[in-house]
């Protein structure tokens, strides 16, 4: 019996702390309160405040929104737009944003210039930026730096690209159903690289020719217990638009159980990819009678609820409410 107790105590705590989904709210939009946008990243600042980036902003910076989430049910009731806070510099196709509480600053991924710059809470650049490894310079157009999240427990940022880097192979497409190979990059509080881990996406489901198609990781989320949530997103839009779909899959990975990769070695079938567990999935469509298509690109950990669970906030990119058809949707997941 003593040996059994010792064995149980020796199991890493993170194995028993794998996150569990407790609920998903229906997606909502707030047409009169949220300006039409191309929202691609969101970060929680505390006290119901969120910093939000748009990948089509003419100026580099972010919006501040106040999200009114019921702390008992987890439902989102209202969104207030508090305005845009810019740096005065041209927009960089901002795709991801993360809050650094230790410095009260925000790190923003720019896909256009392939840089991650630090901003003050008023929107100005601090002069600091992430020192990316050389392999991350090999990004493809519209498939570059997409996601960033912060893990307070060990003051680590996690970053990845939307799709496979040039050094690591081809990217997914309906006529080329390969699995995207990504690098999850850990960055320390001084914005220096710490380690890289290999992550492999699922194969695409779409097989027909598309007018617009995107298959990649659109967001990362660091959970308090060391796990990461990885949002795999496949968007298929046919020429006539009707029948378009967005398929989202959330996977859980635990980098502490993975093997770091050599940053100078290309990813291959033999690379030590992180083991992933499906957390949840959903699909939205555009039909003749239904306009609930939602391309979710922003995700962050929100407030703790009264029952001890956390709210996870997801936000979609409506392409500026495309032709009055698409909406800036929000969705809340409750996780414990």
């Amino acid at each position: 019996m003593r040996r059994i107790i010792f064995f149980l105590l020796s199991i890493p705590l993170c194995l028993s702390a794998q996150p569990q989904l407790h609920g998903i709210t229906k997606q909502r939009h707030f047409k009169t309160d949220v300006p039409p946008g191309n929202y691609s990243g969101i970060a929680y600042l505390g006290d119901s405040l969120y910093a939000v980036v748009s990948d089509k902003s003419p100026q580099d910076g972010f919006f501040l929104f106040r999200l009114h989430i019921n702390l008992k049910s987890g439902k989102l009731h209202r969104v207030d737009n508090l305005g845009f806070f810019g740096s005065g510099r041209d927009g960089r196709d901002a795709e991801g944003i993360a809050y650094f509480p230790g410095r009260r600053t925000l790190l923003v991924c720019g896909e256009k210039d392939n840089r991650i710059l630090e901003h003050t809470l008023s929107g100005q650049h601090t002069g600091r930026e992430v020192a990316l490894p050389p392999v991350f310079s090999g990004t493809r157009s519209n498939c570059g730096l997409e996601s960033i999240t912060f893990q307070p427990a060990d003051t680590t940022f996690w970053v990845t690209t939307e799709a496979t880097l040039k050094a690591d192979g081809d990217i997914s497409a309906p006529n080329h159903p390969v699995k995207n190979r990504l690098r999850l990059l850990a960055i320390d509080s001084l914005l220096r690289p710490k380690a890289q881990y290999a992550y492999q996406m699922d194969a695409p489901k779409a097989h027909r020719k598309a007018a617009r198609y995107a298959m990649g990781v659109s967001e990362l989320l660091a959970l308090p217990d060391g796990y990461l949530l990885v949002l795999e997103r496949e968007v298929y839009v046919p020429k006539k638009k009707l029948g378009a779909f967005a398929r989202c899959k959330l996977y859980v990975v635990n980098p502490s159980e993975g093997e770091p990769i050599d940053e100078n070695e290309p990813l291959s079938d033999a690379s030590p990819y992180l083991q992933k567990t499906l957390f949840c999935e959903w699909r939205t469509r555009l039909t003749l009678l239904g306009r609930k298509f939602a391309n979710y690109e922003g995700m962050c950990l929100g407030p703790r609820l009264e029952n001890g669970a956390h709210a996870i906030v997801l936000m979609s990119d409506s392409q500026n409410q495309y032709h009055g058809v698409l909406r800036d949707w929000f969705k809340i997941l409750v996780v414990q």
Side-chain angles (χ1 to χ4, degrees), residues 11 24 27 72 76 92 95 103 112 124 141 146 154 167 182 190 224 234 280 300 305 318 322 332 334:
I11 297 177
I24 303 178
Q27 62 183 26
K72 185 174 183 179
L76 176 61
R92 301 185 298 116
E95 295 287 354
R103 285 176 52 86
K112 183 178 180 180
Q124 299 302 309
S141 176
E146 184 79 15
D154 59 0
L182 304 183
L190 297 179
E234 181 179 18
C280 66
C300 71
L305 306 182
S318 70
Y322 182 80
I332 305 293
V334 178

Side-chain angles (χ1 to χ4, degrees), residues 38-44 51-57 60-63 92-99 105-119 130 144-150 157-162 217-221 233 297-300 315 317:
N38 299 265
Y39 303 117
S40 50
I42 184 169
Y44 184 42
V52 174
V53 289
S54 170
D55 57 26
K56 299 295 191 301
S57 290
D60 192 22
F62 50 85
F63 293 88
R92 301 185 298 116
D93 187 1
E95 295 287 354
I97 186 168
Y99 180 49
T105 56
L106 291 156
L107 268 69
V108 177
C109 293
E111 196 171 44
K112 183 178 180 180
D113 60 4
N114 205 50
R115 299 167 70 189
I116 304 174
L117 305 182
E118 186 181 51
H119 292 247
V130 172
L145 293 172
E146 184 79 15
S147 310
I148 183 168
T149 186
F150 180 66
F157 292 93
W158 289 91
V159 173
T160 195
T161 54
E162 182 175 0
V217 166
S218 62
E219 195 60 280
L220 298 175
L221 173 57
R233 181 264 285 121
E297 292 204 350
M299 176 173 64
C300 71
M315 190 176 191
D317 180 352

Side-chain angles (χ1 to χ4, degrees), residues 56-321:
K56 299 295 191 301
S57 290
Q59 187 180 159
D60 192 22
F62 50 85
F63 293 88
L64 279 185
F65 288 171
R66 187 179 296 278
L67 273 58
H68 298 266
I69 297 174
N70 186 302
L71 297 184
K72 185 174 183 179
S73 66
K75 292 182 179 179
L76 176 61
H77 292 295
R78 195 172 86 244
V79 177
D80 300 328
N81 172 29
L82 304 182
F84 184 81
F85 296 78
S87 65
R89 302 183 185 182
D90 291 343
R92 301 185 298 116
D93 187 1
E95 295 287 354
I97 186 168
Y99 180 49
F100 187 7
R103 285 176 52 86
R104 291 182 57 79
T105 56
L106 291 156
L107 268 69
V108 177
C109 293
E111 196 171 44
K112 183 178 180 180
D113 60 4
N114 205 50
R115 299 167 70 189
I116 304 174
L117 305 182
E118 186 181 51
H119 292 247
T120 67
L121 293 181
S122 63
Q124 299 302 309
H125 292 154
T126 68
R128 298 206 320 161
E129 70 175 284
V130 172
L132 292 168
V135 67
F136 278 81
S137 64
T139 59
R140 294 176 168 89
S141 176
N142 292 322
C143 293
L145 293 172
E146 184 79 15
S147 310
I148 183 168
T149 186
F150 180 66
Q151 173 56 267
D154 59 0
T155 59
T156 298
F157 292 93
W158 289 91
V159 173
T160 195
T161 54
E162 182 175 0
T164 310
L165 292 167
K166 291 179 180 179
D168 296 324
D170 296 335
I171 61 173
S172 298
N175 60 348
H176 191 57
V178 299
K179 297 179 180 180
N180 278 329
R181 300 165 176 168
L182 304 183
R183 294 168 183 254
L184 303 189
L185 172 64
I187 298 164
D188 67 19
S189 61
L190 297 179
L191 309 189
R192 302 171 304 189
K194 290 171 59 176
Q196 295 181 35
Y197 295 83
Y199 180 90
Q200 189 168 55
M201 291 185 62
D202 292 348
K205 293 290 186 180
H207 300 293
R208 293 174 295 173
K209 186 177 180 180
R212 182 174 181 270
Y213 182 79
M215 178 73 175
V217 166
S218 62
E219 195 60 280
L220 298 175
L221 173 57
L223 295 174
D225 50 22
Y227 287 94
L228 288 176
L229 288 180
V230 183
L231 178 55
E232 297 190 16
R233 181 264 285 121
E234 181 179 18
V235 170
Y236 170 83
V237 181
K239 185 176 181 180
K240 294 184 178 181
K241 304 301 186 290
L242 291 180
F245 70 79
R247 186 191 310 271
C248 293
K249 292 184 177 181
L250 263 182
Y251 282 99
V252 181
V253 297
N254 188 351
S256 69
E257 295 180 348
E259 178 185 341
I261 59 174
D262 183 340
E263 67 175 69
N264 298 312
E265 290 293 326
L267 297 181
S268 68
D269 291 340
S271 297
Y273 294 101
L274 291 172
Q275 291 188 351
K276 62 182 188 179
T277 302
L278 184 64
F279 185 67
C280 66
E281 63 179 305
W282 65 93
R283 187 173 72 163
T284 59
R285 298 180 61 89
L286 181 64
T287 65
L288 190 61
L289 300 177
R291 298 184 174 185
K292 294 186 177 181
F293 175 92
N295 173 21
Y296 284 96
E297 292 204 350
M299 176 173 64
C300 71
L301 194 66
R304 187 177 291 276
L305 306 182
E306 290 178 359
N307 63 3
H310 262 109
I312 292 175
V313 180
L314 292 125
M315 190 176 191
S316 71
D317 180 352
S318 70
Q319 296 293 309
N320 212 41
Q321 296 185 12

